[in-house]
Amino acid sequence: MADQNHELRKAGLKVTLPRVKILQILEKSMDRHLSAEDVYKALLEAGEDVGLATVYRVLTQFETAGLVMRHNFDGGHAVFELSQEEHHDHMVCLDSGEIIEFCDPEIERRQREIVEEHGYELVEHALVLYVRPKSTKSDS
């Protein structure tokens, strides 16, 4: 719990039990991309008495403080992931909803080149590829 307290203070947030519990859920989850509802269900399963409105409010506070990043994949369904030092992009499977993280130096290089070719400076970017598994059926 000391780690979470330090992270919250470093982000300029007061240490409260709901904030600590929500940060713990995000840090310990096998799934790195959780919706507010996912966090709420995990809290319920852990026997914590934190309301859904509180979860939304805390996640928004975490986003503002830079602790988490919000992504609106597949038609506006927001998911949250802990902020990381290293940049990465995402693939979202349209069939299963699985989110795959990847980083490709060549894609990163090309994006910077394209921005410069147009006379701009790259400030931030997010690349999301929406994918489906390849069909294994042979076309007869």
Side-chain angles (χ1 to χ4, degrees), residues 73 89-94 98 100 102 107 127-131:
F73 299 134
D89 296 307
H90 297 93
M91 285 189 292
V92 178
C93 178
L94 294 173
E98 179 185 10
I100 302 114
F102 72 95
I107 291 173
L127 175 65
V128 181
L129 305 174
Y130 294 93
V131 300

Side-chain angles (χ1 to χ4, degrees), residues 4 14 73 79 97 101 109 126 129-130:
Q4 287 85 17
K14 219 169 105 176
F73 299 134
V79 293
E101 295 179 356
R109 183 187 64 74
L129 305 174
Y130 294 93

Side-chain angles (χ1 to χ4, degrees), residues 117-134:
E117 287 169 8
H118 286 85
Y120 291 92
E121 174 185 356
L122 183 62
V123 177
E124 180 63 47
H125 79 281
L127 175 65
V128 181
L129 305 174
Y130 294 93
V131 300
R132 280 208 169 87
K134 281 187 172 181

Side-chain angles (χ1 to χ4, degrees), residues 31-45:
D31 187 355
R32 295 178 30 79
H33 303 88
L34 298 173
S35 68
E37 292 81 7
D38 294 331
V39 172
Y40 176 67
K41 287 178 195 167
L43 288 166
L44 288 179
E45 289 169 6

Side-chain angles (χ1 to χ4, degrees), residues 14-29:
K14 219 169 105 176
V15 176
T16 65
L17 192 58
R19 286 180 181 150
V20 169
K21 294 298 181 185
I22 290 169
L23 190 54
Q24 286 175 339
I25 297 286
L26 292 168
E27 289 176 341
K28 293 179 181 175
S29 174

Side-chain angles (χ1 to χ4, degrees), residues 39-57:
V39 172
Y40 176 67
K41 287 178 195 167
L43 288 166
L44 288 179
E45 289 169 6
E48 299 296 336
D49 186 24
V50 178
L52 183 57
T54 300
V55 172
Y56 275 105
R57 186 173 58 255

